[in-house]
């Protein structure tokens, strides 16, 4: 089974967007560096910007981000984020499959060629993600659905790309989770330009 990683870019006070879903400067570091996430020989595997530029990060961030993206086989997200992004038009930034937790089915006629799968229960969604991903990692988008999956004990690691900005209010990284959970000491601490990459394993209860 693949490792389940809850991941998102986040402000220092724990928000992944403001109350209007505006991410402000949270993703600026993805485009302000001088190192492409993919090597030129990789083509446009991770580049869906349409302008050939794609994601360009600092030299300190690039090895970590490249390795993280290369591990991922499946992305799990909530319906709200799917609707905001229109599911990246069927082309996720990494991985081959997307699982959406939603009480509504996939929009009729929406990119039938894309491997997008809709489930109304987080456990069913994660079971499908594991089957689709095999041994590759599953990236769970942080937020309300991510918090539910974490609270259900289905997350192995928490990864945060912390950007030095304070939002004050907005959409929380851990959603509305009200359960206290312990994480291990960070096994990733990488200082990039305008971002700090952190990763923690979830401590399992005895």
């Amino acid at each position: 089974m693949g490792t389940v990683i809850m991941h998102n870019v986040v402000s220092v006070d724990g928000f992944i967007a403001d109350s209007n879903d505006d991410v402000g400067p949270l993703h600026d570091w993805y485009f302000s560096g001088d190192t492409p996430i993919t090597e030129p020989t990789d083509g446009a595997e991770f580049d869906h910007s349409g302008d050939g530029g794609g994601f360009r990060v600092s030299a300190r961030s690039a090895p970590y981000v490249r390795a993280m993206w290369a591990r991922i086989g499946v992305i799990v997200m909530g319906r709200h984020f799917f609707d905001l992004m229109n599911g990246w038009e069927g082309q996720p930034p990494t991985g081959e499959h997307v699982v959406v937790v939603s009480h509504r089915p996939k929009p009729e006629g929406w990119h039938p060629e894309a491997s997008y799968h809709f489930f109304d229960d987080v456990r069913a969604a994660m079971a499908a993600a594991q089957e689709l991903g095999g041994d590759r990692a599953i990236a769970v988008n942080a937020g309300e659905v991510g918090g539910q999956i974490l609270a259900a004990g289905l997350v192995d690691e928490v990864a945060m790309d912390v950007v030095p900005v304070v939002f004050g209010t907005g959409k929380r990284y851990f959603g509305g989770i009200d359960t206290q959970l312990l994480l291990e000491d960070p096994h990733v601490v990488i200082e990039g330009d305008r971002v700090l990459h952190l990763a923690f394993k979830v401590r399992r209860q005895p």
Side-chain angles (χ1 to χ4, degrees), residues 60-76:
R60 290 180 292 183
S61 289
Y64 170 72
V65 177
R66 285 175 180 165
M68 168 74 82
W69 285 21
R71 294 174 62 191
I72 295 169
V74 184
I75 294 174
V76 178

Side-chain angles (χ1 to χ4, degrees), residues 122-193:
V122 294
R123 291 188 179 276
M126 293 305 296
Q130 290 285 9
E131 183 174 351
L132 288 164
D135 292 334
R136 298 187 68 191
I138 298 166
V140 174
N141 283 355
E144 290 297 332
V145 166
Q148 293 171 28
I149 295 170
L150 177 65
L154 302 176
V155 171
D156 300 309
E157 298 181 16
V158 171
M160 312 174 83
D161 299 319
V162 183
V163 173
V165 59
V166 176
F167 273 34
T169 187
K171 306 295 177 70
R172 296 186 178 277
Y173 180 97
F174 293 103
I177 189 171
D178 58 3
T179 302
Q180 185 179 92
L181 297 170
L182 288 176
L183 307 178
E184 300 294 350
D185 291 338
H187 60 277
V188 172
V189 181
I190 299 172
E191 182 181 352
D193 292 346

Side-chain angles (χ1 to χ4, degrees), residues 37-71:
I37 289 177
T38 52
E39 300 289 354
T41 55
D42 290 343
E45 181 181 359
F46 297 143
D47 177 11
H48 301 292
S49 64
D51 63 2
F55 297 98
R56 303 182 70 88
V57 300
S58 72
R60 290 180 292 183
S61 289
Y64 170 72
V65 177
R66 285 175 180 165
M68 168 74 82
W69 285 21
R71 294 174 62 191

